[in-house]
Amino acid sequence: MSALHQDPSLLRRLYTGESVQQARRAVEALRPGESPIPEAASSAQRRLEARVLLGLLEFRNIYTRFPLGIAEVRPEPNGIALAVESEERAAEILFHLLPACASGHEVHGVPGLRITRRDRTAIELRVLGEPARLRLFGLPARVWRSAEARMLTKWIDPDSMELCWRSSPQSWAQVEREHQAQWEDDNDSYTQLMARGAWLGSGLLRRAALLHTVASTFLVDGYGGAAFGVVRVVLRSSHVREQGPGPHNFVAALVDPVCGLPLLLKRFRGDTDEDYGRDQQFVLANAEETAVLDFRATLERPPSRLAPELWQAILRRMPQAGITSSLSPGVLAGFCGLDVRSRQSPCQLRRTTHGNSSGPTA
């Protein structure tokens, strides 16, 4: 076993994109027996993170160097921090999250969410009256304010909408309370269903860096919902042919018993020879099937509207090695928990140690 497999901080780094020092400090602060990727400590935190993930997936108007526009994740039990790549991406995130309402319509965004703190390179958002916390960092304070202005001028008409986060900064606005009572009442069966499955969206957000540390992903989008008593998250990823490790490495990392999620592969469609170029679909679920991940991967060329300099930056940050050496029937069996290797970390099956020449550095 290599030093990578022995050191949980180096393993955590694959999932979060943190520097070695940051990952090591985080692991050293954990309680004995706690996972290197801690779970959210409250249902409110899980719900917020699940909504943040869907916002990152559903609102993709621009291409970014990193698949979700998120370079790094810092998960903690009572909060999560995301390193945002650019002002454009910051504006999209704020538009999707900050609550606003047009007359006679539902609240857009997360009811009760407010910007509660600002510093030189970050802003912190909290749901008033709840422990849920989100920190967005990586951009100067002036850029965060510029992102707010961009969001307002590009997508929102302040004259025709109530901006709850501005009109009522210290308390929930009346329209937010009404929206919560009608659409997100804790006694409602659909709300309870979404709460039971929120662990999946939260867990994926806490491992978002996997999309650029172990696989040749250049674009991800998707959506979420619920049907037949199950929360469902669909991820659609685009990968570069013959450029770095294939999408099955993302699945292998997700089922890792040390840093992964409680998921098993339920169904696979596609060809195990990834060079053949067919689409692949991995459907994973937990044993109780409270949530399902539908991961659909495609090998394709970059779109013509993607700027050449950005495409070269994407290629430079792609990893050189993944977690498993191939998508063989034996590896698939391991994903399904059908052979002895499923009792080991998929990182123990890797052909080489992780090598990302332009990934996170110390």
Side-chain angles (χ1 to χ4, degrees), residues 14-30:
L14 290 177
Y15 290 75
T16 64
E18 298 165 299
S19 69
V20 173
Q21 290 93 333
Q22 177 68 32
R24 185 159 292 141
R25 286 194 297 267
V27 169
E28 290 173 351
L30 296 174

Side-chain angles (χ1 to χ4, degrees), residues 219-237:
L219 178 67
V220 175
D221 66 3
Y223 54 91
F228 305 107
V230 178
V231 169
R232 188 178 190 87
V233 176
V234 178
L235 294 184
R236 300 178 298 204
S237 65

